[in-house]
Every structure is written in C-alpha cells, then in structure tokens.
Amino acid sequence: MIYLTEGLLKTLLRMAEERDPASTTVPLAITDAGELPDANLSAETPVFTHFYLPNEGDSVNAVFGVDLGTPSGQTPGVFVSHPRGELELSKRDDFREVIFVAVPPWDMESFKIFDRTGDELEFTVLDIEPPEEAGIV
C-alpha cells in the first residue's frame, strides 16, 4: 500500500493541468508516519508528502542528465504527466521505486501509481498536513 497526502495529490494534478499540453516530471519525497501525528499508521510507514520543483531549462541537467537540485536517495518516487498518453507507464518516464502517473482531465479517476516493473499499486490518500521542511515543497 502506498500512502500520500491529499495536498500533494491535488498539487501534482494542478501542476500537470497547468503544464498541459507539455508533460511534467516531479521528484517526490517521503516522510515517516511517525513524524505525522494525524497519520494513524505505524511510525516507520513512508508517506509521500513533498515534492521538489522541476528545474526546467537547467543546462547541466539537459547535457549530463543529472539533477543537481534534488538530493540523491531522498526521492523514492516521481510524478509524471501524460497529457496525450495512456494511464500507464511509458518507456520515456523517469523510473523510481514508485511512479505516479496522471492524464487529463487531471482528477482522481485519471491518476494511478505503479512500481518500476509497471504493476499498478494500491494507494490511500490521507487528509493530513505534512511537516514543513526547508528546500522542498
């Protein structure tokens, strides 16, 4: 089971809609449920709570394919939008442990989560507020 906050999901869908017809890729960060007092989950359970802003047009990223703005190992998930695609993984997607995918009309019914092999994962949206952290949104 994958857990994510409602605020994160709404923000990702809004970002995808605003970028449409272009696609977007957004690295996602987790917080242990123990740091989320209202989560009602075991303390070690990872909850997707934050994202790193994509660095569109960053020349280092474009040339070398390395995102220097996102700390390595801190983003086990990624959100990708497919404005003209199917609600499934694409060969062009940036794969992580967990991949969130959305398509128009950018709502809950047009959103799924997959593992890196393409298997769909079950998820639960939590109506909780994550802690504020420096450097991530």
Side-chain angles (χ1 to χ4, degrees):
M1 176 67 66
I2 302 297
Y3 297 95
L4 68 150
T5 63
E6 182 178 13
L8 176 64
L9 177 56
K10 287 180 178 180
T11 299
L12 294 172
L13 293 173
R14 184 176 57 248
M15 287 172 66
E17 183 173 21
E18 289 170 357
R19 295 233 346 125
D20 193 355
S23 63
T24 190
T25 300
V26 180
L28 304 173
I30 58 172
T31 302
D32 287 338
E35 297 179 43
L36 305 167
D38 298 327
N40 295 324
L41 299 168
S42 66
E44 313 81 40
T45 303
V47 178
F48 284 93
T49 54
H50 295 85
F51 66 91
Y52 286 86
L53 290 172
N55 293 330
E56 315 298 345
D58 185 328
S59 60
V60 173
N61 293 350
V63 173
F64 297 106
V66 176
D67 183 356
L68 299 176
T70 304
S72 176
Q74 293 186 17
T75 56
V78 66
F79 170 77
V80 295
S81 65
H82 295 168
R84 292 181 291 276
E86 303 269 335
L87 191 51
E88 58 190 31
L89 293 183
S90 159
K91 291 181 182 179
R92 289 183 258 169
D93 290 335
D94 179 13
F95 282 27
R96 302 277 171 90
E97 292 176 45
V98 179
I99 304 98
F100 294 31
V101 179
V103 297
W106 314 117
D107 58 20
M108 283 291 294
E109 288 73 39
S110 62
F111 175 81
K112 290 185 179 180
I113 301 176
F114 301 91
D115 66 14
R116 72 177 74 221
T117 65
D119 292 331
E120 188 174 345
L121 301 173
E122 293 184 29
F123 65 92
T124 298
V125 178
L126 304 173
D127 185 15
I128 60 174
E129 292 296 321
E132 289 190 32
E133 296 183 33
I136 55 179
V137 180

